[in-house]
């Protein structure tokens, strides 16, 4: 959520996601508590960027992915942090499939992975 809040301060509309329903509820609460009053100025005009949450499971088909995210176009930036857990190759394949469906050649993808989230992975 911290990177999403920072992106919102820069004027970007943000969708924070997780695959777990309970986590999405907590993420929604955290978002409401931490994003009040975010505005940015672009071209002299104030803009209220949106920060919303959605349940997104890696590997979903295109229709479910569109329904989950509500995206009408490809994102300009996709940030995925600490999304790889364990050594199961199917998890990585699902993440790659989802990113390919969400993004195009103009999307900047930032994949961050720290040893704290999944010790021993690669």
């Amino acid at each position: 959520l911290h990177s999403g809040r920072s992106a919102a301060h820069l004027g970007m509309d943000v969708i924070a996601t997780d695959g777990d329903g309970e986590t999405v509820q907590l993420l929604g609460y955290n978002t409401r508590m931490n994003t009040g009053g975010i505005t940015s100025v672009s071209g002299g005009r104030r803009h209220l960027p949106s920060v919303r949450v959605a349940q997104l499971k890696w590997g979903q088909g295109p229709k479910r992915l569109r329904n989950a995210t509500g995206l009408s176009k490809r994102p300009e930036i996709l940030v995925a942090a600490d999304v790889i857990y364990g050594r199961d190759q199917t998890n990585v394949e699902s993440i790659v499939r989802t990113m390919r469906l969400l993004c195009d050649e103009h999307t900047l993808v930032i994949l961050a992975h720290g040893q704290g989230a999944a010790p021993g992975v690669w």
Side-chain angles (χ1 to χ4, degrees), residues 7 10-15 42 47 69 71-80 99 101-111:
L10 294 172
M12 298 176 194
D13 293 319
V14 176
I15 305 170
S42 176
H47 170 67
T69 62
L71 291 172
S72 58
K73 62 179 186 164
R74 309 282 186 186
E76 294 176 33
I77 301 172
L78 184 142
V79 178
M99 287 183 176
L101 289 170
L102 280 173
C103 305
D104 63 17
E105 66 274 7
H106 303 290
T107 305
L108 171 63
V109 175
I110 301 169
L111 180 59

Side-chain angles (χ1 to χ4, degrees), residues 1 15-18 20-36 51-55:
L1 180 59
I15 305 170
T17 66
D18 197 278
D20 179 71
E22 259 184 63
T23 303
V24 170
Q25 287 181 346
L26 291 170
L27 186 58
Y29 174 78
N30 196 359
T31 299
R32 287 187 301 278
M33 295 293 106
N34 290 291
T35 57
V51 180
R52 59 189 176 89
V53 300
Q55 185 171 1

